Tab-separated table of all heavy atoms in Angstrom:
chain	number	residue	atom	x	y	z
A	1	MET	N	174.674	75.582	2.744
A	1	MET	CA	173.899	74.439	2.722
A	1	MET	C	172.510	74.890	2.408
A	1	MET	O	171.984	75.693	3.088
A	1	MET	CB	174.026	73.760	4.170
A	1	MET	CG	173.110	72.601	4.290
A	1	MET	SD	173.028	71.607	5.738
A	1	MET	CE	174.001	72.290	6.960
A	2	ALA	N	171.870	74.134	1.562
A	2	ALA	CA	170.509	74.415	1.263
A	2	ALA	C	169.519	73.855	2.203
A	2	ALA	O	168.337	74.420	2.382
A	2	ALA	CB	170.199	73.854	-0.164
A	3	GLY	N	169.769	72.793	2.877
A	3	GLY	CA	168.821	72.257	3.843
A	3	GLY	C	167.870	71.293	3.150
A	3	GLY	O	167.887	71.104	1.960
A	4	VAL	N	166.997	70.829	3.984
A	4	VAL	CA	165.995	69.755	3.502
A	4	VAL	C	164.814	70.513	3.042
A	4	VAL	O	164.200	71.342	3.877
A	4	VAL	CB	165.576	68.849	4.627
A	4	VAL	CG1	164.537	67.898	4.167
A	4	VAL	CG2	166.812	68.116	5.166
A	5	THR	N	164.370	70.318	1.838
A	5	THR	CA	163.131	70.996	1.308
A	5	THR	C	161.964	70.115	1.390
A	5	THR	O	160.824	70.748	1.354
A	5	THR	CB	163.476	71.618	-0.135
A	5	THR	OG1	163.699	70.560	-0.937
A	5	THR	CG2	164.516	72.607	-0.057
A	6	HIS	N	162.175	68.927	1.224
A	6	HIS	CA	161.102	67.928	1.271
A	6	HIS	C	161.434	66.643	1.748
A	6	HIS	O	162.582	66.113	1.489
A	6	HIS	CB	160.423	67.723	-0.131
A	6	HIS	CG	159.448	66.688	-0.229
A	6	HIS	ND1	158.068	66.991	0.176
A	6	HIS	CD2	159.419	65.412	-0.656
A	6	HIS	CE1	157.384	65.827	0.008
A	6	HIS	NE2	158.144	64.926	-0.490
A	7	ILE	N	160.632	65.983	2.632
A	7	ILE	CA	160.971	64.762	3.183
A	7	ILE	C	159.772	63.820	3.110
A	7	ILE	O	158.640	64.293	3.430
A	7	ILE	CB	161.417	64.790	4.642
A	7	ILE	CG1	161.849	63.521	5.164
A	7	ILE	CG2	160.523	65.539	5.546
A	7	ILE	CD1	162.653	63.521	6.464
A	8	ASP	N	159.907	62.608	2.576
A	8	ASP	CA	158.872	61.713	2.433
A	8	ASP	C	158.939	60.641	3.606
A	8	ASP	O	159.803	59.830	3.502
A	8	ASP	CB	158.933	61.027	1.067
A	8	ASP	CG	157.818	60.081	0.801
A	8	ASP	OD1	156.737	60.320	1.348
A	8	ASP	OD2	158.000	59.086	-0.018
A	9	ILE	N	158.155	60.738	4.481
A	9	ILE	CA	158.061	59.917	5.707
A	9	ILE	C	157.125	58.756	5.401
A	9	ILE	O	155.879	59.039	5.290
A	9	ILE	CB	157.708	60.693	6.986
A	9	ILE	CG1	158.556	61.864	7.207
A	9	ILE	CG2	157.708	59.778	8.204
A	9	ILE	CD1	158.217	62.739	8.252
A	10	GLN	N	157.713	57.549	5.357
A	10	GLN	CA	156.789	56.324	5.078
A	10	GLN	C	155.977	55.906	6.161
A	10	GLN	O	154.831	55.364	5.925
A	10	GLN	CB	157.734	55.124	4.617
A	10	GLN	CG	158.577	55.495	3.407
A	10	GLN	CD	157.807	55.802	2.134
A	10	GLN	OE1	156.868	55.062	1.904
A	10	GLN	NE2	158.171	56.724	1.439
A	11	GLU	N	156.361	56.018	7.428
A	11	GLU	CA	155.677	55.579	8.521
A	11	GLU	C	154.440	56.462	8.815
A	11	GLU	O	154.484	57.700	8.505
A	11	GLU	CB	156.547	55.635	9.925
A	11	GLU	CG	157.667	54.607	9.772
A	11	GLU	CD	158.864	55.086	8.980
A	11	GLU	OE1	158.938	56.229	8.513
A	11	GLU	OE2	159.705	54.238	8.853
A	12	SER	N	153.374	55.904	9.290
A	12	SER	CA	152.193	56.634	9.666
A	12	SER	C	152.465	57.386	11.045
A	12	SER	O	153.354	57.084	11.754
A	12	SER	CB	150.937	55.701	9.845
A	12	SER	OG	151.155	54.929	10.974
A	13	VAL	N	151.550	58.322	11.326
A	13	VAL	CA	151.657	59.059	12.493
A	13	VAL	C	151.609	58.037	13.841
A	13	VAL	O	152.306	58.101	14.720
A	13	VAL	CB	150.559	60.120	12.673
A	13	VAL	CG1	150.471	60.727	14.038
A	13	VAL	CG2	150.772	61.233	11.726
A	14	GLU	N	150.707	57.098	13.638
A	14	GLU	CA	150.443	56.074	14.691
A	14	GLU	C	151.669	55.222	14.913
A	14	GLU	O	152.065	54.939	15.993
A	14	GLU	CB	149.253	55.243	14.357
A	14	GLU	CG	147.940	55.938	14.440
A	14	GLU	CD	147.629	56.709	13.114
A	14	GLU	OE1	148.387	56.545	12.006
A	14	GLU	OE2	146.796	57.684	13.296
A	15	GLU	N	152.389	54.799	13.711
A	15	GLU	CA	153.630	54.044	13.762
A	15	GLU	C	154.721	54.848	14.524
A	15	GLU	O	155.399	54.340	15.403
A	15	GLU	CB	154.013	53.572	12.359
A	15	GLU	CG	153.161	52.641	11.767
A	15	GLU	CD	153.497	52.270	10.344
A	15	GLU	OE1	153.814	53.254	9.648
A	15	GLU	OE2	153.494	51.056	10.017
A	16	LEU	N	154.782	56.059	14.206
A	16	LEU	CA	155.845	56.915	14.840
A	16	LEU	C	155.667	57.127	16.287
A	16	LEU	O	156.529	57.097	17.019
A	16	LEU	CB	155.906	58.291	14.105
A	16	LEU	CG	156.501	58.268	12.641
A	16	LEU	CD1	156.309	59.603	11.987
A	16	LEU	CD2	157.979	57.949	12.666
A	17	GLU	N	154.356	57.337	16.634
A	17	GLU	CA	153.958	57.449	18.143
A	17	GLU	C	154.501	56.172	18.807
A	17	GLU	O	155.085	56.333	19.854
A	17	GLU	CB	152.428	57.587	18.244
A	17	GLU	CG	151.938	58.930	17.884
A	17	GLU	CD	150.529	58.972	18.090
A	17	GLU	OE1	149.793	57.964	18.241
A	17	GLU	OE2	149.938	60.086	18.037
A	18	VAL	N	154.152	54.992	18.273
A	18	VAL	CA	154.580	53.769	18.899
A	18	VAL	C	156.152	53.740	19.032
A	18	VAL	O	156.736	53.240	20.049
A	18	VAL	CB	154.022	52.554	18.303
A	18	VAL	CG1	154.694	51.253	18.661
A	18	VAL	CG2	152.495	52.514	18.340
A	19	LEU	N	156.815	53.953	18.001
A	19	LEU	CA	158.252	53.894	17.976
A	19	LEU	C	158.872	54.902	18.940
A	19	LEU	O	159.857	54.452	19.566
A	19	LEU	CB	158.794	54.263	16.495
A	19	LEU	CG	158.501	53.213	15.383
A	19	LEU	CD1	158.826	53.777	14.017
A	19	LEU	CD2	159.250	51.965	15.717
A	20	VAL	N	158.323	56.101	19.039
A	20	VAL	CA	158.886	57.000	20.035
A	20	VAL	C	158.675	56.482	21.409
A	20	VAL	O	159.607	56.537	22.235
A	20	VAL	CB	158.220	58.432	19.914
A	20	VAL	CG1	158.471	59.352	21.093
A	20	VAL	CG2	158.610	59.069	18.576
A	21	ARG	N	157.548	55.967	21.726
A	21	ARG	CA	157.212	55.421	23.109
A	21	ARG	C	158.203	54.233	23.487
A	21	ARG	O	158.641	54.160	24.548
A	21	ARG	CB	155.797	55.034	23.288
A	21	ARG	CG	154.842	56.164	23.501
A	21	ARG	CD	153.505	55.712	24.016
A	21	ARG	NE	152.870	54.752	23.011
A	21	ARG	CZ	152.047	55.042	22.175
A	21	ARG	NH1	151.594	56.260	22.009
A	21	ARG	NH2	151.519	54.079	21.376
A	22	GLN	N	158.434	53.397	22.487
A	22	GLN	CA	159.200	52.149	22.617
A	22	GLN	C	160.688	52.431	22.724
A	22	GLN	O	161.409	51.717	23.318
A	22	GLN	CB	158.927	51.108	21.583
A	22	GLN	CG	157.532	50.643	21.686
A	22	GLN	CD	157.215	49.659	20.582
A	22	GLN	OE1	157.875	49.592	19.568
A	22	GLN	NE2	156.209	48.882	20.595
A	23	GLN	N	161.198	53.584	22.124
A	23	GLN	CA	162.586	53.772	22.007
A	23	GLN	C	163.289	54.063	23.314
A	23	GLN	O	162.853	55.017	24.123
A	23	GLN	CB	162.862	54.950	20.960
A	23	GLN	CG	164.238	55.059	20.648
A	23	GLN	CD	164.982	53.791	20.178
A	23	GLN	OE1	165.905	53.385	20.853
A	23	GLN	NE2	164.598	53.229	19.047
A	24	ASN	N	164.363	53.422	23.604
A	24	ASN	CA	165.074	53.706	24.953
A	24	ASN	C	166.375	54.597	24.643
A	24	ASN	O	166.943	55.206	25.563
A	24	ASN	CB	165.502	52.434	25.537
A	24	ASN	CG	164.344	51.690	26.200
A	24	ASN	OD1	163.411	52.260	26.564
A	24	ASN	ND2	164.348	50.391	26.009
A	25	ASN	N	166.842	54.609	23.368
A	25	ASN	CA	168.063	55.276	22.988
A	25	ASN	C	167.599	56.723	22.783
A	25	ASN	O	166.841	57.084	21.854
A	25	ASN	CB	168.641	54.605	21.753
A	25	ASN	CG	169.876	55.317	21.331
A	25	ASN	OD1	169.919	56.522	21.225
A	25	ASN	ND2	170.863	54.594	21.085
A	26	ALA	N	168.227	57.603	23.639
A	26	ALA	CA	167.839	59.068	23.510
A	26	ALA	C	168.078	59.714	22.157
A	26	ALA	O	167.333	60.484	21.667
A	26	ALA	CB	168.483	59.794	24.620
A	27	ARG	N	169.115	59.312	21.615
A	27	ARG	CA	169.556	59.945	20.261
A	27	ARG	C	168.566	59.495	19.196
A	27	ARG	O	168.053	60.342	18.413
A	27	ARG	CB	170.916	59.481	19.758
A	27	ARG	CG	172.026	60.054	20.807
A	27	ARG	CD	173.344	59.575	20.267
A	27	ARG	NE	173.759	60.255	19.034
A	27	ARG	CZ	174.486	59.623	18.167
A	27	ARG	NH1	175.104	58.622	18.367
A	27	ARG	NH2	174.858	60.281	17.067
A	28	ILE	N	168.113	58.312	19.195
A	28	ILE	CA	167.165	57.901	18.245
A	28	ILE	C	165.815	58.352	18.458
A	28	ILE	O	165.026	58.837	17.619
A	28	ILE	CB	167.151	56.303	18.192
A	28	ILE	CG1	168.522	55.751	17.669
A	28	ILE	CG2	166.063	55.792	17.236
A	28	ILE	CD1	168.776	54.253	17.715
A	29	LYS	N	165.537	58.463	19.783
A	29	LYS	CA	164.149	59.024	20.188
A	29	LYS	C	163.986	60.410	19.665
A	29	LYS	O	162.964	60.744	19.257
A	29	LYS	CB	164.047	58.856	21.737
A	29	LYS	CG	162.564	59.167	22.173
A	29	LYS	CD	162.417	58.951	23.601
A	29	LYS	CE	161.017	58.826	24.094
A	29	LYS	NZ	160.759	58.089	25.274
A	30	GLU	N	164.999	61.311	19.800
A	30	GLU	CA	165.007	62.661	19.351
A	30	GLU	C	164.595	62.716	17.829
A	30	GLU	O	163.867	63.553	17.413
A	30	GLU	CB	166.184	63.369	19.676
A	30	GLU	CG	166.458	63.791	21.058
A	30	GLU	CD	167.674	64.572	21.267
A	30	GLU	OE1	168.740	64.188	20.610
A	30	GLU	OE2	167.744	65.448	21.995
A	31	ARG	N	165.359	61.785	17.133
A	31	ARG	CA	165.145	61.799	15.643
A	31	ARG	C	163.696	61.426	15.236
A	31	ARG	O	163.110	61.979	14.310
A	31	ARG	CB	166.158	60.899	14.997
A	31	ARG	CG	167.584	61.542	14.981
A	31	ARG	CD	168.712	60.528	14.913
A	31	ARG	NE	169.957	61.088	14.885
A	31	ARG	CZ	170.669	61.535	15.969
A	31	ARG	NH1	170.175	61.490	17.088
A	31	ARG	NH2	171.864	62.090	15.768
A	32	LEU	N	163.237	60.373	15.996
A	32	LEU	CA	161.857	59.957	15.748
A	32	LEU	C	160.757	61.084	16.162
A	32	LEU	O	159.917	61.239	15.465
A	32	LEU	CB	161.541	58.690	16.619
A	32	LEU	CG	162.210	57.323	16.132
A	32	LEU	CD1	162.060	56.276	17.135
A	32	LEU	CD2	161.666	56.994	14.850
A	33	GLN	N	161.084	61.751	17.200
A	33	GLN	CA	160.277	62.836	17.517
A	33	GLN	C	160.234	63.915	16.446
A	33	GLN	O	159.181	64.533	16.168
A	33	GLN	CB	160.773	63.445	18.968
A	33	GLN	CG	160.475	62.624	20.090
A	33	GLN	CD	161.084	63.153	21.356
A	33	GLN	OE1	162.205	63.683	21.383
A	33	GLN	NE2	160.415	63.016	22.464
A	34	ALA	N	161.432	64.144	15.976
A	34	ALA	CA	161.410	65.132	14.795
A	34	ALA	C	160.593	64.688	13.674
A	34	ALA	O	159.759	65.476	13.115
A	34	ALA	CB	162.897	65.352	14.360
A	35	LEU	N	160.666	63.445	13.313
A	35	LEU	CA	159.876	62.862	12.178
A	35	LEU	C	158.331	62.974	12.525
A	35	LEU	O	157.514	63.342	11.710
A	35	LEU	CB	160.240	61.388	11.912
A	35	LEU	CG	161.584	61.213	11.291
A	35	LEU	CD1	161.896	59.657	11.192
A	35	LEU	CD2	161.753	61.799	9.938
A	36	TYR	N	157.976	62.637	13.833
A	36	TYR	CA	156.634	62.671	14.259
A	36	TYR	C	156.142	64.131	14.130
A	36	TYR	O	154.997	64.351	13.625
A	36	TYR	CB	156.620	62.323	15.719
A	36	TYR	CG	155.166	62.456	16.147
A	36	TYR	CD1	154.162	61.514	16.020
A	36	TYR	CD2	154.887	63.500	17.104
A	36	TYR	CE1	152.895	61.686	16.518
A	36	TYR	CE2	153.547	63.601	17.600
A	36	TYR	CZ	152.641	62.730	17.391
A	36	TYR	OH	151.380	62.923	17.810
A	37	MET	N	156.879	65.175	14.569
A	37	MET	CA	156.452	66.484	14.477
A	37	MET	C	156.211	67.018	13.072
A	37	MET	O	155.307	67.737	12.790
A	37	MET	CB	157.435	67.506	15.226
A	37	MET	CG	157.322	67.381	16.689
A	37	MET	SD	158.424	68.583	17.530
A	37	MET	CE	159.919	67.547	17.904
A	38	ILE	N	157.067	66.545	12.178
A	38	ILE	CA	156.857	66.878	10.818
A	38	ILE	C	155.653	66.271	10.213
A	38	ILE	O	154.913	66.926	9.490
A	38	ILE	CB	158.172	66.541	9.977
A	38	ILE	CG1	159.295	67.468	10.285
A	38	ILE	CG2	157.872	66.604	8.448
A	38	ILE	CD1	160.659	66.957	9.781
A	39	LYS	N	155.501	64.982	10.382
A	39	LYS	CA	154.405	64.166	9.931
A	39	LYS	C	153.019	64.531	10.451
A	39	LYS	O	152.092	64.728	9.781
A	39	LYS	CB	154.634	62.743	10.106
A	39	LYS	CG	153.610	61.775	9.579
A	39	LYS	CD	153.916	61.535	8.111
A	39	LYS	CE	152.950	60.396	7.605
A	39	LYS	NZ	153.439	59.763	6.324
A	40	ASN	N	153.002	64.750	11.655
A	40	ASN	CA	151.727	65.047	12.398
A	40	ASN	C	151.334	66.539	12.451
A	40	ASN	O	150.084	66.803	12.290
A	40	ASN	CB	151.794	64.507	13.969
A	40	ASN	CG	150.449	64.604	14.554
A	40	ASN	OD1	149.442	64.241	14.077
A	40	ASN	ND2	150.471	65.052	15.893
A	41	GLN	N	152.276	67.353	12.556
A	41	GLN	CA	151.918	68.833	12.834
A	41	GLN	C	152.541	69.718	11.749
A	41	GLN	O	152.271	70.948	11.780
A	41	GLN	CB	152.432	69.210	14.185
A	41	GLN	CG	151.775	68.373	15.249
A	41	GLN	CD	152.501	68.416	16.620
A	41	GLN	OE1	153.739	68.700	16.605
A	41	GLN	NE2	151.771	68.080	17.588
A	42	GLY	N	153.357	69.156	10.836
A	42	GLY	CA	153.868	70.019	9.863
A	42	GLY	C	154.852	71.088	10.397
A	42	GLY	O	155.009	72.190	9.831
A	43	ILE	N	155.459	70.842	11.462
A	43	ILE	CA	156.398	71.792	12.149
A	43	ILE	C	157.607	71.958	11.356
A	43	ILE	O	158.136	71.088	10.828
A	43	ILE	CB	156.702	71.318	13.642
A	43	ILE	CG1	155.364	71.258	14.445
A	43	ILE	CG2	157.630	72.301	14.282
A	43	ILE	CD1	155.520	70.937	15.886
A	44	SER	N	158.173	73.176	11.298
A	44	SER	CA	159.373	73.454	10.562
A	44	SER	C	160.610	72.941	11.267
A	44	SER	O	160.599	72.660	12.445
A	44	SER	CB	159.550	75.025	10.339
A	44	SER	OG	159.840	75.620	11.614
A	45	VAL	N	161.694	72.875	10.512
A	45	VAL	CA	162.964	72.398	11.020
A	45	VAL	C	163.450	73.381	12.206
A	45	VAL	O	163.899	72.852	13.195
A	45	VAL	CB	163.998	72.306	9.881
A	45	VAL	CG1	165.467	72.056	10.556
A	45	VAL	CG2	163.648	71.231	8.916
A	46	CYS	N	163.288	74.643	11.968
A	46	CYS	CA	163.788	75.631	12.923
A	46	CYS	C	162.967	75.363	14.236
A	46	CYS	O	163.564	75.500	15.352
A	46	CYS	CB	163.596	77.023	12.502
A	46	CYS	SG	164.733	77.451	11.102
A	47	ALA	N	161.706	75.237	14.135
A	47	ALA	CA	160.843	75.060	15.377
A	47	ALA	C	161.164	73.726	16.062
A	47	ALA	O	161.157	73.689	17.224
A	47	ALA	CB	159.411	75.155	14.912
A	48	ILE	N	161.345	72.676	15.261
A	48	ILE	CA	161.784	71.359	15.875
A	48	ILE	C	163.087	71.474	16.579
A	48	ILE	O	163.241	70.960	17.699
A	48	ILE	CB	161.877	70.353	14.811
A	48	ILE	CG1	160.493	70.023	14.222
A	48	ILE	CG2	162.564	69.037	15.294
A	48	ILE	CD1	160.528	69.131	12.996
A	49	ALA	N	164.009	72.229	15.954
A	49	ALA	CA	165.344	72.461	16.605
A	49	ALA	C	165.199	73.163	17.970
A	49	ALA	O	165.773	72.768	18.993
A	49	ALA	CB	166.197	73.260	15.716
A	50	LYS	N	164.365	74.138	18.022
A	50	LYS	CA	164.101	74.888	19.218
A	50	LYS	C	163.419	74.053	20.256
A	50	LYS	O	163.903	74.050	21.371
A	50	LYS	CB	163.199	76.067	18.872
A	50	LYS	CG	163.095	77.134	20.099
A	50	LYS	CD	162.253	78.292	19.659
A	50	LYS	CE	163.106	79.564	19.753
A	50	LYS	NZ	162.344	80.692	19.468
A	51	ILE	N	162.447	73.224	19.903
A	51	ILE	CA	161.766	72.352	20.858
A	51	ILE	C	162.747	71.322	21.419
A	51	ILE	O	162.652	71.060	22.608
A	51	ILE	CB	160.563	71.632	20.061
A	51	ILE	CG1	159.546	72.685	19.688
A	51	ILE	CG2	159.978	70.555	20.942
A	51	ILE	CD1	158.497	72.159	18.896
A	52	LEU	N	163.541	70.785	20.534
A	52	LEU	CA	164.435	69.723	21.017
A	52	LEU	C	165.801	70.209	21.539
A	52	LEU	O	166.567	69.425	22.080
A	52	LEU	CB	164.799	68.751	19.825
A	52	LEU	CG	163.551	67.917	19.332
A	52	LEU	CD1	164.020	67.102	18.154
A	52	LEU	CD2	163.037	67.049	20.431
A	53	GLY	N	166.042	71.533	21.524
A	53	GLY	CA	167.280	72.138	22.137
A	53	GLY	C	168.511	71.726	21.225
A	53	GLY	O	169.568	71.722	21.677
A	54	LYS	N	168.260	71.684	19.921
A	54	LYS	CA	169.387	71.341	19.027
A	54	LYS	C	169.532	72.498	18.023
A	54	LYS	O	168.601	73.350	17.868
A	54	LYS	CB	169.037	70.137	18.136
A	54	LYS	CG	168.804	68.802	19.071
A	54	LYS	CD	170.085	68.507	19.925
A	54	LYS	CE	169.863	67.216	20.633
A	54	LYS	NZ	170.964	67.041	21.447
A	55	HIS	N	170.621	72.579	17.380
A	55	HIS	CA	170.872	73.528	16.306
A	55	HIS	C	170.152	73.196	15.046
A	55	HIS	O	169.865	71.991	14.757
A	55	HIS	CB	172.400	73.681	16.014
A	55	HIS	CG	172.582	74.955	15.233
A	55	HIS	ND1	172.560	74.960	13.840
A	55	HIS	CD2	172.979	76.152	15.510
A	55	HIS	CE1	172.889	76.216	13.362
A	55	HIS	NE2	173.182	76.963	14.329
A	56	ARG	N	169.479	74.166	14.341
A	56	ARG	CA	168.885	73.947	13.040
A	56	ARG	C	169.632	72.937	12.129
A	56	ARG	O	169.086	72.059	11.552
A	56	ARG	CB	168.469	75.202	12.344
A	56	ARG	CG	167.932	75.075	11.067
A	56	ARG	CD	167.884	76.393	10.282
A	56	ARG	NE	169.106	77.143	10.281
A	56	ARG	CZ	170.237	76.789	9.453
A	56	ARG	NH1	170.175	75.878	8.632
A	56	ARG	NH2	171.303	77.482	9.607
A	57	SER	N	170.866	73.140	11.966
A	57	SER	CA	171.667	72.399	11.018
A	57	SER	C	171.785	70.947	11.550
A	57	SER	O	171.964	70.015	10.634
A	57	SER	CB	173.095	73.001	10.877
A	57	SER	OG	173.776	73.089	11.987
A	58	THR	N	171.641	70.699	12.805
A	58	THR	CA	171.726	69.280	13.295
A	58	THR	C	170.459	68.596	12.895
A	58	THR	O	170.534	67.427	12.415
A	58	THR	CB	171.919	69.385	14.870
A	58	THR	OG1	173.048	70.044	15.247
A	58	THR	CG2	171.848	67.968	15.409
A	59	VAL	N	169.384	69.304	13.076
A	59	VAL	CA	168.103	68.663	12.586
A	59	VAL	C	168.028	68.373	11.050
A	59	VAL	O	167.602	67.444	10.639
A	59	VAL	CB	166.847	69.395	13.199
A	59	VAL	CG1	165.564	68.869	12.656
A	59	VAL	CG2	166.810	69.623	14.623
A	60	GLN	N	168.536	69.355	10.382
A	60	GLN	CA	168.608	69.189	8.934
A	60	GLN	C	169.478	67.930	8.575
A	60	GLN	O	169.080	67.211	7.645
A	60	GLN	CB	169.209	70.582	8.238
A	60	GLN	CG	168.180	71.548	8.193
A	60	GLN	CD	168.701	72.833	7.527
A	60	GLN	OE1	169.901	73.133	7.708
A	60	GLN	NE2	167.868	73.540	6.953
A	61	ARG	N	170.569	67.810	9.257
A	61	ARG	CA	171.468	66.772	8.974
A	61	ARG	C	170.741	65.302	9.308
A	61	ARG	O	170.881	64.412	8.456
A	61	ARG	CB	172.722	66.854	9.735
A	61	ARG	CG	173.841	65.937	9.366
A	61	ARG	CD	175.204	66.172	10.021
A	61	ARG	NE	175.085	66.218	11.489
A	61	ARG	CZ	175.207	67.218	12.241
A	61	ARG	NH1	175.479	68.449	11.821
A	61	ARG	NH2	175.153	67.182	13.630
A	62	TRP	N	170.043	65.358	10.363
A	62	TRP	CA	169.326	64.122	10.720
A	62	TRP	C	168.308	63.781	9.547
A	62	TRP	O	168.144	62.751	9.119
A	62	TRP	CB	168.326	64.215	11.850
A	62	TRP	CG	169.046	64.537	13.262
A	62	TRP	CD1	170.402	64.329	13.439
A	62	TRP	CD2	168.432	64.997	14.429
A	62	TRP	NE1	170.601	64.581	14.841
A	62	TRP	CE2	169.464	64.980	15.431
A	62	TRP	CE3	167.135	65.316	14.820
A	62	TRP	CZ2	169.187	65.383	16.686
A	62	TRP	CZ3	166.913	65.696	16.080
A	62	TRP	CH2	167.916	65.765	17.110
A	63	LEU	N	167.589	64.804	9.093
A	63	LEU	CA	166.621	64.618	8.001
A	63	LEU	C	167.224	64.247	6.654
A	63	LEU	O	166.541	63.596	5.821
A	63	LEU	CB	165.661	65.782	7.900
A	63	LEU	CG	164.938	66.087	9.044
A	63	LEU	CD1	164.094	67.356	9.027
A	63	LEU	CD2	163.932	64.958	9.521
A	64	GLU	N	168.427	64.672	6.372
A	64	GLU	CA	169.096	64.301	5.070
A	64	GLU	C	169.342	62.903	5.060
A	64	GLU	O	169.411	62.234	4.033
A	64	GLU	CB	170.407	65.129	5.076
A	64	GLU	CG	170.197	66.586	4.717
A	64	GLU	CD	171.353	67.409	4.712
A	64	GLU	OE1	172.530	66.859	5.145
A	64	GLU	OE2	171.404	68.564	4.483
A	65	ASP	N	169.473	62.221	6.245
A	65	ASP	CA	169.905	60.772	6.391
A	65	ASP	C	168.640	59.964	6.296
A	65	ASP	O	168.730	58.684	6.292
A	65	ASP	CB	170.607	60.488	7.699
A	65	ASP	CG	171.944	61.144	7.747
A	65	ASP	OD1	172.516	61.490	6.591
A	65	ASP	OD2	172.446	61.411	8.853
A	66	VAL	N	167.438	60.482	6.285
A	66	VAL	CA	166.115	59.730	6.311
A	66	VAL	C	165.969	59.098	4.815
A	66	VAL	O	166.130	59.652	3.868
A	66	VAL	CB	164.963	60.519	6.696
A	66	VAL	CG1	163.662	59.795	6.462
A	66	VAL	CG2	165.073	60.983	8.109
């Protein structure tokens, strides 16, 4: 698996912050947090996986669906 090399996130950092705060579903909230970390801080997939306690391939799969 090659993984995600580029992702175009349409939402602004501010929009993602609001979405994360408003989200009650834990699964969706984690995915939004991943998008926020990429958009706001440019954090790598491996680092995001470590922060969220997920496997790298799981985070890559989330991002492939974006």
